[in-house]
């Protein structure tokens, strides 16, 4: 289906080497639709090709970073299109040569949380809460998180986060290694922009080369994990959410 007349769900602003990408559906806590996946993929691909962009900064508008997929919108989505666009977005994020900084506040749930694992640096606002609710929804991890999460925080902690579907507060995100720092909400925007500015001011060749060394084979590993996740989800019996 065409997205020519679709509402804008992703806002993009490029200033002084920083590509500021804002998830912009605040009335729905920036929940993703198929259109949102497509628009974010295009924004990232454009940033990758724009020689003036040195760092990408992703944030959410309104009260939250993102509540994940818009479950109401799923009813009107083509499942194959949704899956294709999601895979393209995951692959694009995993393959970015330029650094991607995420700045979650409020809540980051489902893909709102697993998206963070695909970014390079996460600066979390004080009071933000994260949740990977997949077992509570009767499904399995997504977006390559079955690989990324244990690689980032260790197997035991990852098992706890996934199997319990529990909430993680901002302080724990730092203790676990899900975020680099917890920033007071009062000056959150100022601090994350200053951090992005620091990266943008360094030699871009050095930044890109350093990221490449720290991310060798990451994209293919993530895509392999994503494929395995799809197969595991498809094999599950149909069931409604379990809320304990």
């Amino acid at each position: 289906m065409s997205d020519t007349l679709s509402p804008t769900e992703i806002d993009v602003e490029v200033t002084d080497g920083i590509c500021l990408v804002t998830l912009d559906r605040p009335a729905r806590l920036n929940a993703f639709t198929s259109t949102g996946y497509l628009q974010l993929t295009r924004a990232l691909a454009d940033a990758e090709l724009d020689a003036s962009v040195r760092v990408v900064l992703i944030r959410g508008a309104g009260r939250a970073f993102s509540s994940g997929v818009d479950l109401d919108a799923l009813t009107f989505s083509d499942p194959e299109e949704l899956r294709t666009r999601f895979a393209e977005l995951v692959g694009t994020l995993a393959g970015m040569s330029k650094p991607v900084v995420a700045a979650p506040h409020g809540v980051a749930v489902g893909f709102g949380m697993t998206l963070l694992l695909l970014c390079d640096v996460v600066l979390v606002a004080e009071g933000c809460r994260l949740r990977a609710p997949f077992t509570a929804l009767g499904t399995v991890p997504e977006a390559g998180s079955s690989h990324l999460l244990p690689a980032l925080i260790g197997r035991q902690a990852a098992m706890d986060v996934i199997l319990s579907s529990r909430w993680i507060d901002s302080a724990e995100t730092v203790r676990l290694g899900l975020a680099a720092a917890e920033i007071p909400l009062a000056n959150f925007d100022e601090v994350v922009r200053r951090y992005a500015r620091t990266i943008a001011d360094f030699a871009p060749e050095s930044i890109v080369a350093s990221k490449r060394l720290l991310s060798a084979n990451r994209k293919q590993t993530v895509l392999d994990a994503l494929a395995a996740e799809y197969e595991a989800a498809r094999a599950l019996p149909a069931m409604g959410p379990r809320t304990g």
Side-chain angles (χ1 to χ4, degrees):
M1 72 181 190
S2 171
D3 286 277
T4 304
L5 300 178
S6 297
T8 300
E9 299 185 12
I10 306 296
D11 181 72
V12 180
E13 173 190 333
V14 178
T15 306
D16 297 330
I18 301 171
C19 179
L20 179 62
V21 178
T22 304
L23 312 181
D24 197 15
R25 294 185 77 215
R28 298 290 295 172
L29 296 183
N30 304 319
F32 280 91
T33 67
S34 178
T35 297
Y37 291 149
L38 178 64
Q39 291 179 358
L40 181 53
T41 300
R42 288 174 174 172
L44 293 168
D46 288 347
E48 182 78 351
L49 293 174
D50 187 342
S52 72
V53 172
R54 298 188 176 189
V55 59
V56 176
L57 174 59
I58 303 178
R59 66 177 183 179
R63 297 182 294 114
F65 181 71
S66 174
S67 57
V69 65
D70 189 328
L71 297 178
D72 291 340
L74 287 181
T75 306
F76 306 101
S77 300
D78 178 332
E80 190 58 35
E81 177 186 83
L82 191 71
R83 171 178 173 171
T84 298
R85 289 184 175 183
F86 185 74
E88 289 174 348
L89 173 54
V90 170
T92 299
L93 259 173
M96 291 286 290
S97 69
K98 297 175 182 180
V100 180
V101 178
H105 74 290
V107 295
V109 179
F111 185 57
M113 173 179 169
T114 55
L115 183 158
L116 302 177
L117 305 177
L118 292 158
C119 298
D120 300 304
V121 179
V122 176
L123 302 177
V124 64
E126 186 176 11
C128 181
R129 298 193 302 154
L130 278 59
R131 190 184 184 209
F134 308 114
T135 53
L137 294 171
T139 186
V140 297
E142 36 117 86
S145 59
S146 59
H147 164 76
L148 292 169
L149 190 62
L152 185 63
I153 68 175
R155 182 176 181 276
Q156 281 292 313
M159 284 287 186
D160 168 44
V161 167
I162 295 298
L163 298 183
S164 71
S165 285
R166 68 180 179 83
W167 287 98
I168 304 166
D169 66 28
S170 55
E172 188 179 7
T173 64
V174 177
R175 291 199 301 271
L176 287 174
L178 289 167
E182 178 188 27
I183 312 298
L185 188 58
N187 60 340
F188 183 58
D189 188 61
E190 175 190 347
V191 171
V192 297
R193 284 174 180 263
R194 188 164 63 242
Y195 181 83
R197 168 85 275 129
T198 297
I199 294 174
D201 283 344
F202 291 144
E205 298 82 2
S206 172
I207 293 293
V208 169
S210 296
K211 174 173 176 173
R212 183 170 60 247
L213 288 169
L214 292 168
S215 308
N217 303 317
R218 186 170 187 248
K219 180 176 180 178
Q220 190 56 55
T221 302
V222 167
L223 291 177
D224 289 345
L226 178 65
E229 291 161 0
Y230 275 133
E231 289 303 314
R234 186 182 294 117
L236 290 173
M239 61 185 294
R242 300 180 62 91
T243 59

